[in-house]
Amino acid sequence: MTNRSIQDIEEMGGAKYINPYTDFGFKKLFGTPLNKDLLISFLNSLFEGKEVINDLTYLNGENLGNSYGDRRAIFDVYCENEKGETFIVEMQKAEQQFFKDRSVFYSTFPIQNQGKKGIWDFKLKGVYTVGILDFVFPDNEYPKDSLRHEVKLVDVDDKHVFYDKLTFLYLEMPKFTKKEEELKTMYDKWLFVLHNLSRLMKRPAALQERIFTRLFEQAEIARYTPEERQDYEDSLKVYRDMKNVLDTAELKGMKKGMEQGMKKGMEQGMRKGMEQGMKKGMEQGMEKGIEQGASDERKKNAKAMKTLGLPLEAIAKVTGMPIDDIEKL
């Protein structure tokens, strides 16, 4: 490793391997025909035998609508397998307000592209959209231990798959927590690589498959040309700036939420305290009034009995008043 390579790595925070969540990193590993074996291995692990890909052909990642002025779509990775099924693979770095809408919208392009002029029976080939998410779906849509979500058109009543040629697969990567010693399947190993690659300083012992030899070779920053390192550094800066903006926004949102919560809590506490205070005051007032009324009635009765000339001891016994108080009446 040259001194310049070492300096470049130090400038990138001491990382030895690229961050696959950056645009440069993701396309370097999965977006070129040179590395299509990496993408094939990753997709096969993701589909867990339900779909087996033997070969892929990369397609133009920029898709336009059917007429002038239509919205265009630019895919991170857009390819098709040997059966003509298409795959859209996206690295989604930040939550978007209409992320699901965007996924559905993007899936319509490979569907429309299958249309044929003239007589056509409308038979379509499968379309798969894979979203690798660097965030968690909002509002706790899925359980904490559920990170892989396969979505299809399903009959609401009996839950059977109504249409099996349109599939959306989402990975909530922040939920991945497995350690190296827990990696058993290729799926686990690929998720471990995606989640930890930029933090590794050497190839883990658990990743001995030949495909990971290729991956670590392609991910090693020291192997890049000066131009590639500059492109990666620029991409990494964009990624970090975006994360900082999002983290700051999240902290501000949390702070605002806490302030609003505290204000609301104080208002509710004061209101509840006043209500309880008034209730307690009324109860104490009523209790004191009853006691005072009873005392006045005892005094009145004691005075009447004293006027009749009854012994003080007898009056005290009947009214419960001390003899000294009776004498003062």
Side-chain angles (χ1 to χ4, degrees):
M1 186 181 299
T2 65
N3 291 334
R4 178 57 193 163
S5 298
I6 294 173
Q7 182 181 348
D8 288 335
I9 291 175
E10 289 174 347
E11 290 173 355
M12 294 178 192
K16 182 176 181 180
Y17 301 108
I18 58 174
N19 186 332
Y21 290 99
T22 62
D23 288 335
F24 178 93
F26 187 72
K27 291 177 180 177
K28 177 70 174 178
L29 297 179
F30 298 117
T32 64
L34 176 66
N35 292 333
K36 70 178 180 180
D37 55 337
L38 301 179
L39 181 60
I40 290 173
S41 176
F42 169 66
L43 290 176
N44 281 336
S45 74
L46 183 59
F47 288 106
E48 299 177 329
K50 296 178 183 178
E51 176 73 30
V52 179
I53 303 168
N54 295 311
D55 194 17
L56 286 174
T57 301
Y58 285 83
L59 305 174
N60 182 8
E62 183 173 353
N63 281 250
L64 300 174
N66 293 324
S67 61
Y68 177 77
D70 281 356
R71 183 80 176 181
R72 71 172 182 169
I74 301 177
F75 308 132
D76 288 344
V77 175
Y78 184 42
C79 53
E80 67 177 15
N81 64 5
E82 65 277 11
K83 295 183 287 186
E85 298 172 323
T86 52
F87 295 81
I88 300 168
V89 186
E90 294 275 297
M91 174 63 78
Q92 193 66 29
K93 294 179 283 294
E95 180 186 342
Q96 294 183 356
Q97 185 177 7
F98 299 110
F99 168 69
K100 294 179 184 178
D101 303 67
R102 180 177 181 271
S103 290
V104 173
F105 176 71
Y106 272 28
S107 71
T108 64
F109 286 88
I111 294 174
Q112 294 179 62
N113 290 341
Q114 295 183 52
K116 298 178 182 179
K117 293 182 179 180
I119 299 174
W120 178 45
D121 60 4
F122 290 94
K123 183 178 181 181
L124 297 171
K125 294 180 180 178
V127 174
Y128 299 87
T129 296
V130 177
I132 305 169
L133 314 182
D134 193 17
F135 61 89
V136 173
F137 282 116
D139 303 322
N140 299 316
E141 183 169 349
Y142 293 102
K144 289 183 178 180
D145 58 349
S146 175
L147 67 87
R148 179 187 182 277
H149 313 295
E150 182 174 346
V151 181
K152 292 180 181 288
L153 293 176
V154 176
D155 185 283
V156 174
D157 292 327
D158 65 12
K159 310 304 180 186
H160 83 276
V161 176
F162 173 76
Y163 186 73
D164 64 354
K165 294 181 181 178
L166 181 61
T167 303
F168 300 89
L169 270 169
Y170 300 111
L171 300 173
E172 295 180 278
M173 292 304 297
K175 291 182 178 180
F176 184 80
T177 58
K178 287 189 176 181
K179 304 295 189 294
E180 181 183 348
E181 60 271 16
E182 299 176 284
L183 306 179
K184 304 299 180 184
T185 65
M186 284 295 288
Y187 169 71
D188 288 342
K189 293 177 181 180
W190 268 110
L191 264 58
F192 179 86
V193 167
L194 288 174
H195 193 61
N196 297 289
L197 182 59
S198 63
R199 294 189 289 268
L200 298 174
M201 294 308 295
K202 64 179 182 179
R203 177 180 173 181
L207 306 179
Q208 291 305 310
E209 289 80 1
R210 184 180 299 177
I211 194 66
F212 292 119
T213 300
R214 285 269 298 124
L215 180 134
F216 280 95
E217 288 175 353
Q218 293 299 309
E220 190 172 354
I221 298 171
R223 293 175 177 265
Y224 296 166
T225 65
E227 291 77 16
E228 287 177 321
R229 286 198 291 271
Q230 184 60 54
D231 288 343
Y232 172 59
E233 189 172 353
D234 293 342
S235 183
L236 184 62
K237 184 178 185 303
V238 171
Y239 173 77
R240 286 173 173 169
D241 289 346
M242 182 195 67
K243 292 288 287 184
N244 287 335
V245 169
L246 292 174
D247 291 344
T248 300
E250 184 177 357
L251 286 173
K252 285 184 176 179
M254 290 174 62
K255 182 180 179 182
K256 186 176 181 180
M258 289 176 66
E259 290 174 349
Q260 291 177 341
M262 289 176 66
K263 182 180 179 181
K264 188 175 182 181
M266 289 175 66
E267 291 174 350
Q268 291 177 343
M270 289 175 65
R271 183 168 59 250
K272 188 174 181 179
M274 290 175 66
E275 291 173 354
Q276 290 178 343
M278 291 175 64
K279 181 180 178 182
K280 187 174 182 180
M282 290 176 65
E283 291 174 350
Q284 290 177 343
M286 290 177 65
E287 183 179 347
K288 189 173 182 180
I290 292 171
E291 290 177 354
Q292 183 65 42
S295 176
D296 291 344
E297 186 67 21
R298 285 198 300 272
K299 288 180 179 179
K300 182 179 178 181
N301 293 335
K303 188 174 183 179
M305 286 186 279
K306 184 178 179 183
T307 301
L308 293 172
L310 294 176
L312 296 182
E313 291 80 3
I315 296 173
K317 187 173 183 181
V318 172
T319 62
M321 291 178 62
I323 293 177
D324 291 345
D325 290 345
I326 297 172
E327 289 178 341
K328 294 176 182 178
L329 293 176

